[in-house]
């Protein structure tokens, strides 16, 4: 169940995205058709966007219609949103069929935090899929892939070991690897570690 | 008076046991501990006009059916008929905790969120906005600290209102194809109180325990088939759920950069988990534990022995009626339990509990796994094996932490070579006392060699594929004495309630057989065994009756040979006796627990073959040694 402020956030991002893609002003009526939620939310979102100085509304006397367009600030924001969308789409296309990927992207782009997007961006810019954790020699890395059947996959993800996660290798023991991810330390068997693909990743803030 | 049944759910090391302590008070402490028990425990507490029953569940990371802990918790959630749950959340890793909370909300279990370790999180620069979290998830959130008892009253208030709490909170939305599948399965579900959406999700995630809620066989077959065709569905569900969890976590947390915390802990881990220093420190620690144990155990044992002996001798002058003699044997059994095993076993479990709560035990598991793996055992078997040095009976029950019956049986079979307190008493008290410490040491070495040969052999026979090591290493913490004591008591419980009464029964049985003159009957027919062992024929009596009551083996040896053992037996014979009496499933009590866990056939096969193996090994060992 999504609460109201979230709906509003999603609608606002969608409006910016539509405007960014069309890169020109469009009639307000058309916009309301493009965004398939209740008019109440669209109007509210437009009000907020205008207040935040991201869009501006103008009345074209000639057609007697209200138009909507991006401000300078709005253009930058829209660019970011589109970029985020593209990154996600690319990421999901690799994992599912085209139509589903687009659908997943549409849902997820509003939900995924900037950190996650940042990580996915890194993931998709790397062409190769990463090397097994057992062969990984650096101290910090990014999990690009976990090759497991459902059982272990869910176990790992519920423990907080997930694709896109930043990991730090603390220690190597003959039977496995000791890693730290999000403040938690784990020991992974060699058999598990070799199915976890990792890329070098250095976060300056880490 | 109202009744409430509340489940306690949380990850391992999240502070569940401390919370239960804080909620119920130390007098009713019952709890479970990661790696040792996988049972649910219950504790009641009357608050205002309501009796709240708390049901503690094993620590898990997600609602699933893949490990024994998960199965037990899942069963508790859906078969205990609870009014609600307290979900304990680790503030230092929110998104991970939220994964399970999202599942609990999907199952529409009314829940109160107890946020633990908020101070730790703040030290790490993580600030959590509880109000926002409450709003977002639609469940009450209470900040707690079980150690200082902060927030416990608030938590109780929230629990008392839990019946009024809404069953619906935040719901994860999945991709259309998953939502489509959920809808399809939802329409094929039997009438039950569990939300259809949740059942559908569990089925899609491959949880076989949930097939039973599907309408009929055909639906189950269809579900299985479509799961095979879309093997990525479960993965997608996990990813979306985790993504949502991290989204929520990010929404409610504010990261304030802090100065890098000191790396002391990591330095310690560098040593404890070093490829050579790790096993070395592990062995060193264990040796210190055993040293302390033998020292402390001996002094406490001395005091208790004095007390029980004077108590028993007060009976000695009483009339020697048959009943009195039988009773005296029973009391002797009890006395042996109280004075020999009790201090030793309790101290051992206390020290083990301390190591566990400090966080050292999981490091030891990592080091031990390297060697356990070679004999076909999973790393987790370290804890039951270690408990075996206390008493075989509770240790056998502790094998339940292992994920398959085969692994459990494999581990249990090694208890034939892990000397329990009573067998250590034989080795130290008989072999060490009459033959010297070197001889006692060589018995230990022989046990180790016999055990390794057995383990390699059985690895070939049973062929177990053990689970790969995947373990969270908890941060080092100052142990809570109250918790450690409670934990030692739980591990002791089996010993006190099962082993002690059986010691009395064993003693009485021996008394009756003795009076009837049946004891000596076995000497003649079993003489081939003593001949093989190169021992006097009467020694069969302590060997056989030791199985009724291991603690009396030494005393029986004295009674058949007289006190001048070192004159009657050569050191090689003392050694042989030590080996023959300590290899094998030790006693009838251990056999009883084995039957309970693995069934009559397997238990008897294991017991008989391990004892025969022990006798063969002892006979071979002295022959080989006497060559030199």
């Amino acid at each position: 169940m999504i609460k109201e402020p979230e709906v509003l956030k999603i609608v606002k991002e969608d409006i910016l995205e539509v405007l960014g893609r069309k890169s020109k002003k469009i009639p307000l009526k058309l916009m309301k058709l493009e965004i398939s939620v209740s008019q109440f939310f669209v109007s509210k979102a437009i009000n907020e966007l205008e207040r935040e100085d991201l869009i501006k509304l103008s009345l074209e006397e000639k057609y007697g219609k209200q138009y909507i367009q991006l401000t300078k600030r709005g253009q930058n924001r829209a660019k970011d949103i589109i970029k985020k969308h593209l990154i996600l789409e690319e990421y999901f296309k690799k994992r599912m069929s085209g139509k589903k990927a687009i659908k997943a992207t549409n849902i997820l782009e509003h939900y995924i935090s900037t950190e996650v997007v940042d990580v996915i961006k890194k993931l998709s810019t790397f062409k190769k899929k990463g090397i097994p954790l057992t062969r990984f020699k650096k101290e910090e890395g990014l999990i690009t892939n976990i090759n497991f059947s459902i059982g272990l996959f869910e176990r790992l993800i519920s423990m907080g070991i997930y694709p896109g996660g930043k990991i730090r290798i603390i220690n190597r023991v003959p039977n496995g690897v000791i890693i730290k991810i999000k403040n938690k330390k784990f020991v992974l068997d060699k058999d598990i570690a070799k199915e976890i693909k990792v890329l070098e990743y250095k976060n300056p803030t880490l | 008076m109202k009744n409430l049944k509340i489940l306690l759910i949380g990850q391992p090391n999240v502070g569940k046991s401390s919370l239960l302590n804080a909620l119920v008070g130390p007098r009713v402490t019952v709890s479970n501990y990661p790696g040792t028990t996988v049972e649910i425990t219950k504790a009641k507490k009357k608050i205002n006009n309501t009796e709240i029953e708390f049901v503690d569940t094993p620590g898990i990371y997600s609602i699933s059916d893949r490990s024994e802990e998960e199965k037990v918790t899942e069963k508790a959630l859906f078969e205990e008929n609870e009014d609600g749950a307290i979900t304990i959340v680790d503030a230092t890793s929110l998104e991970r905790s939220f994964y399970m909370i999202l599942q609990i909300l999907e199952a529409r279990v009314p829940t109160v969120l107890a946020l633990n370790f908020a101070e730790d999180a703040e030290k790490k620069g993580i600030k959590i906005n509880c109000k926002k979290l409450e709003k977002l998830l639609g469940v009450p959130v209470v900040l707690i600290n079980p150690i200082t008892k902060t927030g416990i009253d608030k938590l109780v208030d929230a629990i008392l209102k839990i019946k009024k709490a809404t069953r619906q909170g935040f719901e994860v939305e999945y991709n259309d194809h998953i939502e489509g599948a959920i809808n399809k399965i939802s329409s094929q579900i039997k009438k039950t109180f569990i939300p259809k959406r949740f059942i559908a999700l569990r089925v899609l995630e491959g949880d076989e325990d949930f097939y039973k809620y599907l309408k009929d066989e055909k639906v189950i077959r269809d579900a299985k088939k479509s799961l095979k065709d879309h093997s990525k569905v479960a993965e997608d569900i996990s990813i979306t759920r985790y993504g949502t969890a991290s989204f929520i976590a990010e929404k409610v947390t504010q990261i304030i950069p802090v100065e890098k915390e000191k790396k002391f802990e990591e330095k310690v881990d560098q040593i404890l988990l070093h490829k050579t220093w790790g096993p070395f420190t592990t062995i060193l620690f264990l040796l210190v534990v055993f040293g302390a144990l033998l020292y402390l155990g001996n002094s406490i044992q001395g005091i208790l022995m004095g007390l029980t002996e004077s108590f028993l001798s007060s009976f000695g002058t009483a009339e020697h009626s048959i009943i009195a003699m039988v009773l005296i044997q029973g009391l002797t059994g009890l006395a042996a339990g109280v004075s020999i095993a009790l201090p030793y076993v309790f101290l051992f479990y206390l020290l083990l509990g301390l190591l566990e709560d400090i966080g050292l035990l999981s490091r030891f598991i990592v080091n031990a796994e390297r060697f356990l793996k070679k004999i076909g055992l999973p790393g987790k078997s370290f804890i039951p094996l270690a408990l075996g040095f206390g008493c075989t009976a509770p240790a056998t029950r502790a094998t339940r932490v292992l994920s398959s019956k085969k692994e459990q049986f494999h581990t249990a079979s090694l208890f034939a070579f892990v000397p329990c307190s009573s067998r250590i008493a034989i080795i130290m008290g008989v072999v060490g006392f009459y033959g010297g410490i070197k001889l006692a040491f060589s018995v230990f070495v022989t046990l180790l060699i016999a055990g390794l040969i057995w383990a390699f052999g059985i690895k070939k026979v049973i062929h177990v594929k053990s689970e790969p090591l995947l373990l969270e290493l908890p941060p080092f913490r100052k142990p809570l004495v109250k918790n450690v004591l409670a934990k030692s008591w739980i591990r002791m419980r089996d010993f006190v309630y099962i082993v002690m009464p059986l010691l009395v029964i064993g003693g009485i049985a021996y008394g009756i057989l003795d009076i009837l003159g049946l004891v000596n009957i076995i000497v003649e027919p079993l003489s081939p065994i003593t001949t093989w062992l190169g021992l006097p024929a009467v020694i069969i009596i302590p060997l056989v009756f030791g199985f009724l009551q291991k603690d009396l083996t030494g005393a029986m040896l004295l009674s058949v040979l007289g006190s001048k053992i070192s004159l009657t037996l050569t050191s090689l014979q003392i050694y042989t006796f030590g080996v023959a009496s300590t290899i094998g499933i030790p006693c009838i009590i251990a056999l009883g627990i084995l039957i309970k866990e693995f069934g009559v056939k397997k238990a008897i096969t294991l017991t008989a073959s391990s004892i025969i193996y022990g006798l063969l090994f002892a006979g071979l060992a002295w022959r080989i040694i006497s060559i030199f």
Side-chain angles (χ1 to χ4, degrees), chain B residues 121-306:
Chain B
E122 253 173 63
K123 272 186 210 146
K124 286 182 171 148
I126 304 166
K127 224 174 132 59
I128 296 157
N129 185 338
C130 290
K131 280 263 153 56
K132 206 168 171 187
L133 181 59
E134 229 164 38
K135 254 187 160 167
L136 216 67
L137 288 177
V139 297
V141 177
V142 183
L143 267 175
I144 57 157
N145 184 340
I147 295 160
T148 59
K149 300 225 166 170
T150 318
I152 301 300
D153 293 341
K154 259 191 174 171
L155 184 64
V156 170
D157 279 347
I159 297 164
L160 291 174
K161 283 183 224 140
I162 209 162
K163 267 195 167 161
K164 286 181 212 136
T166 160
R167 289 193 155 256
Q168 192 179 357
F170 187 94
E171 215 160 64
V172 183
E173 266 186 48
Y174 299 93
N175 296 351
D176 275 4
H177 72 290
I178 295 171
E179 291 288 344
I182 291 172
N183 286 336
K184 206 176 138 199
I185 296 174
S186 294
S187 62
Q188 303 290 333
I189 288 171
K190 284 182 203 157
K191 217 172 133 69
T192 159
F193 70 95
I194 307 171
K196 287 181 172 173
R197 183 181 171 84
F198 183 76
I199 296 173
L201 275 165
R202 286 313 303 158
V203 169
L204 286 173
E205 288 177 87
D207 188 336
E208 294 182 4
D209 286 352
F210 277 80
Y211 286 157
K212 62 172 178 245
Y213 298 110
L214 295 177
K215 244 178 204 151
D216 50 49
E217 283 299 315
K218 194 183 159 294
V219 182
I220 296 174
R221 267 201 310 276
D222 286 352
K224 275 187 187 162
K225 196 187 157 292
S226 60
L227 269 183
K228 246 189 199 144
D229 297 342
H230 308 279
S231 57
K232 284 269 180 214
V233 167
E235 201 174 294
D236 285 347
I237 292 174
S238 295
I239 286 189
T240 314
R241 198 181 284 136
Y242 190 85
T244 315
S246 75
F247 162 72
I248 296 169
E250 204 235 2
K251 284 245 138 179
V252 298
T253 39
Q254 194 190 342
I255 308 275
I256 309 152
V258 281
E259 302 224 344
K260 206 122 180 110
E261 25 163 0
K262 49 183 177 168
K263 291 214 173 163
F264 174 71
E265 196 185 305
E266 275 181 26
K267 284 228 173 81
V268 173
D269 264 346
Q270 296 282 5
I271 299 166
L272 284 178
L273 298 167
H274 189 269
K275 66 180 173 204
T276 39
W277 295 117
F280 184 77
T281 46
T282 303
I283 291 168
L284 200 71
F285 259 106
L286 292 180
L287 283 179
V288 168
V289 166
F290 278 109
L293 210 60
L294 287 174
Y295 179 75
L296 284 171
N298 270 337
S299 18
I300 296 176
Q301 194 178 318
I303 299 165
L304 282 173
M305 279 277 257

Side-chain angles (χ1 to χ4, degrees), chain B residues 281-297 344-345 347-356 360-361 364 386 389:
Chain B
T281 46
T282 303
I283 291 168
L284 200 71
F285 259 106
L286 292 180
L287 283 179
V288 168
V289 166
F290 278 109
L293 210 60
L294 287 174
Y295 179 75
L296 284 171
Y344 180 90
V345 175
L347 272 177
F348 180 62
Y349 289 174
L350 199 70
L351 289 173
L352 208 65
L354 267 175
L355 289 179
E356 188 176 357
L360 284 169
L361 209 57
F364 293 169
F389 285 100

Side-chain angles (χ1 to χ4, degrees), chain A residues 87-103:
Chain A
I87 290 161
L88 283 171
E89 200 173 287
E90 195 186 333
Y91 178 71
F92 283 108
K93 260 184 189 156
K94 280 186 196 152
R95 337 191 89 253
M96 11 180 145
S97 72
K99 217 178 132 198
K100 279 177 197 157
I102 290 163
K103 178 78 198 169

Side-chain angles (χ1 to χ4, degrees), chain A residues 1-3 6 9 91-92 95-96 100 103-104 107-108 110-116 139 145-146 148-163 168 170-175 178 180 182-192 206, chain B residues 61-64 66-67 70 90 92-93 95-96 99 103 124 126 135-136 168-171 173-177 202 205-206 231 234-236 238-239 241-242 246-247 250-251 263 265-266 269-270 273-275 363 366 369-370 373 468-473:
Chain A
M1 204 179 68
I2 300 176
K3 305 264 159 59
E6 286 151 44
K9 179 186 169 236
Y91 178 71
F92 283 108
R95 337 191 89 253
M96 11 180 145
K100 279 177 197 157
K103 178 78 198 169
I107 295 171
L108 272 173
H110 307 291
Y111 278 102
I112 271 178
S113 65
T114 40
E115 191 203 2
V116 177
E139 204 184 305
N145 216 339
I146 297 178
F148 269 114
S149 56
I150 42 177
L152 265 172
F153 188 86
E154 193 192 3
R155 172 71 61 77
L156 286 167
I157 215 168
S158 64
M159 285 176 124
I161 304 166
Y162 62 101
R168 230 158 71 73
I170 302 279
N171 212 343
R172 277 164 232 278
V173 281
N175 46 339
I178 315 243
K180 197 167 189 176
K182 295 231 170 188
N183 286 328
K184 297 282 162 195
K185 231 182 264 180
F186 298 94
V187 54
L188 305 175
D189 195 281
K190 269 195 171 155
D191 287 340
I192 294 177
L206 205 82
Chain B
Y61 292 98
S62 65
I63 299 174
S64 171
R66 287 181 192 107
S67 71
E70 288 167 348
D90 181 349
T92 62
S93 73
E95 59 279 305
R96 194 175 75 167
Y99 186 92
Q103 284 187 304
K124 286 182 171 148
I126 304 166
K135 254 187 160 167
L136 216 67
Q168 192 179 357
F170 187 94
E171 215 160 64
E173 266 186 48
Y174 299 93
N175 296 351
D176 275 4
H177 72 290
R202 286 313 303 158
E205 288 177 87
S231 57
E235 201 174 294
D236 285 347
S238 295
I239 286 189
R241 198 181 284 136
Y242 190 85
S246 75
F247 162 72
E250 204 235 2
K251 284 245 138 179
K263 291 214 173 163
E265 196 185 305
E266 275 181 26
D269 264 346
Q270 296 282 5
L273 298 167
H274 189 269
K275 66 180 173 204
R363 271 77 178 175
V366 176
E369 203 258 358
R370 271 159 69 186
K373 203 154 100 179
L469 184 67
L470 173 58
L471 192 71
E472 184 179 345
L473 301 172

Side-chain angles (χ1 to χ4, degrees), chain B residues 312 319-334 503-516 549:
Chain B
L312 279 176
E319 50 174 323
H320 279 277
S321 70
I322 290 174
I323 293 173
M325 277 168 70
V326 170
L327 278 180
I328 284 175
Q329 283 297 342
L331 280 173
T332 316
L334 187 65
L503 281 175
V504 176
I505 294 169
I508 290 175
Y510 175 71
I512 291 170
L513 292 169
D514 193 22
I515 287 160
L516 296 177
Q549 209 180 317

